Amino acid sequence: MEETFDVKLVENEKYYSPPAGYREEAWTKDYETAYADFLKDPDGFWERVAKELDWFRLWDKVKEWNYPYAKWFVNAKLNITHNCLDRHVKSDRKNKVALMWKAETGEERMYTYWRLYRDVMRFANGLKKLGLKKGDRVCIYMPLVPEQIIAMLACARIGVVHSVVFGGFGANALNMRINDAQAKVVITADYTIRRGKNIPLKTIVEEAVVGSPSIEKIVVLSRKSETPVDLMKEIEVDFYGIMEGVDSYCAPEEMDAEDPLFILYTSGSTGTPKGIVHTCGGYMVGTYYTTKHVFDLKDKDRFWCTADTGWITGHSYVVYGPLAVGATVFMGEVVPDYPDPGCFWKLVEDYGITIFYTAPTAIRMFMKLGEEWPKKYDLSSLRILGSVGEPLNPEAFEWYYKNIGASRCPVVDTWWQTETGMHMITTMIGEKMRPGFAGKAVPGVKVDVVDKDGKPVPIGTGGLLVIQEPWPSMLRTVYGNDARYRQYWETVEGNYSAGDLAVKGKDGYIMVIGRSDDIIIVSGHNIGTAEVESALVSHQAVAEAAVIGKPDDMKGNSIKAFVILRVGNTPSEKLTSDLIYHVRMTLGPIAIPSEIEFVDKLPKTRSGKIMRRVLKAREMGLDPGDISTLEE
Ligand code: WT7
């Protein structure tokens, strides 16, 4: 732990009352009562939620807690796609729109539940034809297109574990993830579209799979059927090609509640990413419950979560949660400021979006560009706004509340993680909102702010954010590295350590301050200092590198790298661009440093560990604190 806990909260008493009418209509009408119900009988609480869904066999026991290992819905059998598709197809929702998609090119598509169900089953049968079976791993590296959702659900249909890798990662990052999961198949597309440019994906996959002996096939989506991309016959097959001539029905594989559903990689404190493993039953129940209650999702809503499906936010709140609830989901292959900064608001108007969920970094960008952009559009369809990924600072909260929500939409600032699978802290609809504070634990979850010994810190004092009881959608392990999993529960004995610093107000509302470890949240993306450092050190000119996060008004943090060159190399602008290019090609564009400083030495402890805290303090003109362990 490099950070100190010297946060002292000066309490302001600024609240926003919930807009009239919401509370009465909400699924959770009264937070305090719902929370008390949960505390009275935690297993009963989750059992009631689980019973709203379909199971092939019910559980013998709701939960089995064998610290630090939890099983939820013991011996229950299910398939999540049955709940996301079949359940609706058999109901009034058969012809309801499940998915509306629009790309920045203007192209658009709609899928009813029936249509999505059919495509998922045909693609699932296509995957079976490739020889895939329950328990195999498949890597999905695709643009934000409906086929990505079809691919994910098709894997889940047949019990194949998917590992989605965000399209902004480079070949080396993709290669590491494929190898770690020993994926047999990669599903990709010829290209992704961003700000008017086609960015190739297939060529990156081809580079990434060299040295991935587990890979048997690459499935390629040709985005334009008029101009299909050339396939390498020995290994590549066409996305729609494998759907030809297959049965249109594919029975859902009967999964145990504890069978893995997917792996999703997140940054760790070492150079290797951690494969967070989520299971079928608990994840389904947790994402279903939070989608319904935190967003207060009703049948008539049109829900837009702007996250890419490559992140946990997309998994839980573009795909599994909303579809389990039976929502109409909007998905946009768009960025917030292209072709102009009004494009999101135009989409809200055109598609009649009622619930909008985005990241503080986007809100701060909109704030900078001015309220004239949202003013051009009719945003009156909106009824709930959400935020996720990093702290929503009070200024951004107020701007969002007033200018997007017209001071009549509750804002839910949701704190959670890849590891938690679902929302953990927020201010439920109908409760008073406190700008700067995410809120309280959602019913079903127990959290606190504690010191290193697990003792609650006094109100207003910074501490570690921990989760005190297992929850259904918690990670079950780190793929192939169970020791790393146990660390989450060992840092603060008996608790799950989130790795975040937080502070609690007098009212019990929690303000999340930031990471307490070596992870930098850049524009809401989780980036490990160690990953960027090892990418830099893999360049032939670099001897050593240290990376820090520097507060940034727009991005939350930006990456600054300190680099020691190998003898024979001299700092130059050319070398700076070479290093940036190198990081772009290995880790991907999301991880490039915005600043590189060449130095002769780095502050280290006597045992040789780089003291990033000292670099950061110096960078910000602050007192570096205790440097007694600093090497001479
Ligand atoms: C980290 C998890 C879970 C969705 C996206 C990120 C930070 C997330 C908030 C919030 C303050 C937040 C934390 C957390 N974070 N939401 N509402 N307020 N910080 O998932 O990539 O696993 O990152 O994002 O630092 O630990 P992730």
Side-chain angles (χ1 to χ4, degrees):
M1 211 78 44
E2 295 199 25
E3 217 86 19
T4 44
F5 293 13
D6 42 15
V7 182
K8 280 275 177 285
L9 182 69
V10 182
E11 300 236 13
N12 66 17
E13 301 293 330
K14 182 142 199 193
Y15 291 95
Y16 281 91
S17 314
Y22 276 87
R23 193 181 177 95
E24 297 69 29
E25 298 289 316
W27 286 118
T28 297
K29 290 191 179 31
D30 172 17
Y31 170 77
E32 297 301 336
T33 311
Y35 202 82
D37 278 352
F38 153 66
L39 285 183
K40 234 183 288 156
D41 178 12
D43 287 0
F45 174 92
W46 284 112
E47 177 158 60
R48 283 193 298 279
V49 176
K51 283 198 168 151
E52 293 180 22
L53 292 157
D54 286 354
W55 301 79
F56 303 142
R57 180 190 189 280
L58 290 182
W59 43 93
D60 296 328
K61 221 171 142 190
V62 173
K63 172 179 77 193
E64 209 172 87
W65 180 221
N66 231 323
Y67 171 77
Y69 300 102
K71 280 188 181 162
W72 282 86
F73 309 108
V74 181
N75 294 329
K77 306 285 179 221
L78 77 150
N79 188 293
I80 195 167
T81 70
H82 170 89
N83 281 285
C84 292
L85 300 168
D86 310 44
R87 199 164 74 90
H88 308 310
V89 161
K90 287 183 199 141
S91 78
D92 292 349
R93 297 198 186 103
K94 180 174 178 180
N95 294 316
K96 178 175 176 173
V97 175
L99 187 63
M100 315 187 277
W101 172 82
K102 178 129 192 195
E104 61 170 49
T105 55
E107 201 190 334
E108 84 191 295
R109 269 193 272 160
M110 298 249 184
Y111 288 77
T112 59
Y113 271 97
W114 172 247
R115 171 70 202 278
L116 187 62
Y117 169 69
R118 301 268 298 178
D119 277 16
V120 166
M121 290 194 295
R122 288 176 56 227
F123 193 68
N125 280 331
L127 293 179
K128 276 190 180 169
K129 236 176 25 186
L130 299 182
L132 290 169
K133 52 183 190 328
K134 181 173 175 177
D136 288 341
R137 273 86 51 215
V138 161
C139 175
I140 299 176
Y141 182 68
M142 293 184 85
L144 199 52
V145 292
E147 285 85 352
Q148 179 172 166
I149 295 189
I150 291 168
M152 289 167 76
L153 293 171
C155 287
R157 187 80 177 173
I158 60 173
V160 162
V161 178
H162 60 68
S163 155
V164 180
V165 177
F166 173 59
F169 279 113
N172 194 49
L174 178 60
N175 171 270
M176 275 165 75
R177 286 158 176 76
I178 290 172
N179 288 347
D180 188 78
Q182 291 289 292
K184 282 193 176 171
V185 167
V186 187
I187 306 173
T188 189
D190 41 4
Y191 56 86
T192 181
I193 301 168
R194 208 179 156 82
R195 292 200 166 81
K197 290 194 196 74
N198 293 354
I199 303 162
L201 289 178
K202 178 175 172 279
T203 49
I204 295 176
V205 172
E206 286 162 358
E207 196 187 326
V209 301
V210 176
S212 292
S214 63
I215 291 296
E216 293 169 7
K217 285 280 180 247
I218 302 172
V219 181
V220 185
L221 171 72
S222 269
R223 298 198 59 174
K224 289 215 163 28
S225 45
E226 319 85 84
T227 49
V229 67
D230 284 336
L231 297 178
M232 299 196 292
K233 290 279 175 315
E234 60 285 9
I235 184 161
E236 291 173 345
V237 291
D238 181 69
F239 190 99
Y240 283 100
I242 66 167
M243 292 163 79
E244 272 162 31
V246 298
D247 237 19
S248 55
Y249 181 73
C250 172
E253 186 76 32
E254 197 171 290
M255 305 298 285
D256 187 90
E258 284 297 315
D259 279 335
L261 173 63
F262 65 83
I263 304 172
L264 187 58
Y265 286 87
T266 187
S267 310
S269 42
T270 66
T272 32
K274 293 178 290 191
I276 303 301
V277 177
H278 281 288
T279 53
C280 296
Y283 178 81
M284 172 176 78
V285 173
T287 54
Y288 164 81
Y289 167 74
T290 46
T291 305
K292 180 171 163 183
H293 287 257
V294 172
F295 294 122
D296 191 37
L297 206 140
K298 308 280 172 45
D299 240 322
K300 59 184 190 312
D301 278 310
R302 286 168 302 274
F303 180 68
W304 182 15
C305 162
T306 67
D308 193 285
T309 333
W311 307 113
I312 191 68
T313 309
H315 281 55
S316 300
Y317 301 111
V318 176
V319 186
Y320 291 112
L323 295 180
V325 173
T328 294
V329 172
F330 175 78
M331 177 187 194
E333 193 185 13
V334 289
V335 292
D337 57 351
Y338 181 88
D340 66 55
C343 63
F344 270 28
W345 316 125
K346 181 171 190 326
L347 290 169
V348 167
E349 177 179 325
D350 287 349
Y351 290 89
I353 302 301
T354 59
I355 306 174
F356 178 74
Y357 189 35
T358 198
T361 185
I363 299 167
R364 290 192 296 262
M365 191 197 79
F366 291 131
M367 218 170 129
K368 194 184 89 183
L369 295 166
E371 42 265 34
E372 53 276 23
W373 287 103
K375 279 221 176 77
K376 288 187 211 283
Y377 300 95
D378 176 5
L379 305 181
S380 60
S381 59
L382 288 171
R383 63 178 204 96
I384 288 165
L385 302 175
S387 170
V388 62
E390 55 183 319
L392 180 63
N393 47 303
E395 301 73 29
F397 176 102
E398 290 188 12
W399 189 89
Y400 194 33
Y401 183 71
K402 288 181 183 141
N403 294 288
I404 306 304
S407 305
R408 50 163 194 84
C409 303
V411 173
V412 287
D413 175 3
T414 59
W415 177 89
W416 59 296
Q417 308 180 299
T418 303
E419 292 89 337
T420 71
M422 68 175 205
H423 301 148
M424 303 302 277
I425 301 175
T426 195
T427 303
M428 301 289 283
I429 302 298
E431 299 302 310
K432 56 184 184 182
M433 296 167 271
R434 190 170 190 193
F437 291 75
K440 297 184 181 180
V442 303
V445 168
K446 275 182 86 173
V447 305
D448 208 349
V449 182
V450 302
D451 64 16
K452 284 175 180 158
D453 302 320
K455 279 211 307 286
V457 293
I459 297 297
T461 305
L464 302 169
L465 185 57
V466 295
I467 304 168
Q468 299 172 301
E469 298 278 342
W471 63 101
S473 66
M474 64 187 254
L475 76 163
R476 297 300 195 273
T477 188
V478 172
Y479 194 76
N481 189 355
D482 198 55
R484 184 61 195 83
Y485 167 75
R486 287 193 301 273
Q487 275 175 28
Y488 282 104
W489 290 91
E490 284 163 357
T491 313
V492 178
E493 181 69 29
N495 293 264
Y496 168 88
S497 288
D500 279 330
L501 290 170
V503 58
K504 219 193 229 182
K506 285 189 213 121
D507 52 8
Y509 278 48
I510 293 170
M511 171 188 275
V512 180
I513 299 162
R515 299 292 307 180
S516 63
D517 56 11
D518 296 338
I519 288 167
I520 312 175
I521 311 271
V522 184
S523 300
H525 299 155
N526 198 320
I527 293 164
T529 52
E531 270 175 291
V532 183
E533 287 162 5
S534 59
L536 284 166
V537 173
S538 70
H539 188 279
Q540 45 82 21
V542 177
E544 212 172 353
V547 164
I548 61 163
K550 225 174 129 169
D552 179 290
D553 282 351
M554 298 300 287
K555 296 191 276 189
N557 292 285
S558 65
I559 299 177
K560 171 155 186 182
F562 297 85
V563 167
I564 302 181
L565 292 175
R566 287 178 188 235
V567 187
N569 295 278
T570 36
S572 67
E573 259 173 51
K574 165 82 170 57
L575 187 53
T576 304
S577 355
D578 281 359
L579 292 180
I580 290 175
Y581 180 72
H582 182 74
V583 176
R584 180 192 292 277
M585 295 315 281
T586 47
L587 271 178
I590 59 162
I592 55 177
S594 33
E595 221 181 309
I596 294 184
E597 186 178 325
F598 296 101
V599 293
D600 296 327
K601 52 180 201 251
L602 291 166
K604 286 184 184 170
T605 60
R606 273 181 263 264
S607 60
K609 274 167 93 183
I610 297 171
M611 294 180 86
R612 294 184 191 81
R613 161 171 80 78
V614 173
L615 287 170
K616 191 164 171 173
R618 273 187 203 152
E619 190 63 32
M620 295 167 63
L622 299 171
D623 173 5
D626 178 12
I627 48 168
S628 56
T629 55
L630 197 68
E631 170 198 65
E632 279 315 301

